[in-house]
Amino acid sequence: VLEIGLIEHLQREDLNPLDEAEGYKRLADEFGHTQEKIAETLGKSRSHVANMLRLLNLPEKIRMLVKKSSLTAGHARALAAMEPESAERLAELIIEKGLSVRDAEALAAANSGRPARGKKKGAGAKGGKDVDTLALEEEVGNAIGAKVSIDMKPGGDGSMTITFKTLDQLDEVLHRLSHNPGRLKG
């Protein structure tokens, strides 16, 4: 009866990814189901069950971000193979930059030194940007109080775009640049 109740609970559509993963784990631990049996019973793929179970290995901070819907299960899966401290830093960057799951996967791959899945070797994260460029965008953006995009060309030259929403925000950016220029120097 408990097993049937758990299966019915897992078939609800409003479960968050971690509750779903915990349910799969219970089916495996308490009732001896394999990933294949869980998948077959619930009409899911075995890889879906395996990927959901991987979420349970994430650091608590990242699990809380998934529970609060700040990160999707796809974003979290990209972080699952990383060291906890690196994964937490990357999670913050994903949220701040609004990165897609594909961008998060590429960034996680770049941080771990492995090629990104489904991308050509050498392709970076968002728009082909590497981790250092994304971190620099974040640093400069925080310093001037606006969203910053840095684009590099193969020859070494590049451009930086500052995005503002209001003239007041532009005024604040200009004020910060003119009154604290040394803060942005390396």
Side-chain angles (χ1 to χ4, degrees):
V1 174
L2 182 62
E3 180 182 6
I4 292 169
L6 180 57
I7 290 169
E8 287 176 355
H9 177 71
L10 286 169
Q11 290 175 329
R12 289 181 27 207
E13 292 184 24
D14 62 343
L15 284 180
N16 78 50
L18 285 169
D19 289 340
E20 184 179 345
E22 288 165 3
Y24 294 166
K25 184 169 176 19
R26 281 189 65 198
L27 284 174
D29 293 348
E30 294 175 25
F31 302 103
H33 290 305
T34 63
Q35 289 179 7
E36 277 124 16
K37 175 70 174 164
I38 294 168
E40 180 183 314
T41 302
L42 295 168
K44 307 280 184 183
S45 68
R46 192 211 53 82
S47 62
H48 172 79
V49 173
N51 283 331
M52 296 306 287
L53 287 169
R54 287 178 52 214
L55 298 178
L56 299 175
N57 298 326
L58 290 165
E60 184 62 29
K61 183 176 180 182
I62 294 175
R63 289 175 26 188
M64 291 308 297
L65 292 171
V66 172
K67 278 192 175 191
K68 293 188 312 186
S69 298
S70 298
L71 281 179
T72 68
H75 287 111
R77 278 193 305 273
L79 305 172
M82 297 179 69
E83 293 294 321
E85 188 176 302
S86 297
E88 289 174 7
R89 277 196 317 269
L90 188 53
E92 291 170 9
L93 187 63
I94 290 167
I95 293 167
E96 183 173 323
K97 294 284 186 184
L99 299 179
S100 70
V101 171
R102 191 171 299 250
D103 291 337
E105 289 171 344
L107 202 52
N111 270 343
S112 64
R114 60 184 173 24
R117 213 177 71 192
K119 291 210 174 195
K120 293 178 184 167
K121 190 174 180 180
K126 189 173 188 178
K129 295 178 184 177
D130 62 19
V131 179
D132 295 329
T133 302
L134 288 170
L136 189 57
E137 286 178 346
E138 180 180 12
E139 183 180 341
V140 174
N142 289 339
I144 65 172
K147 184 178 179 201
V148 171
S149 176
I150 298 172
D151 297 300
M152 299 298 295
K153 294 180 183 171
D157 58 335
S159 64
M160 180 172 70
T161 305
I162 300 169
T163 304
F164 56 89
K165 294 183 181 187
T166 65
L167 290 177
D168 287 338
Q169 187 182 15
L170 174 60
D171 189 45
E172 176 63 22
V173 168
L174 296 173
H175 177 77
R176 288 185 185 194
L177 288 172
S178 64
H179 287 87
N180 199 6
R183 181 173 180 193
L184 298 177
K185 290 183 182 173

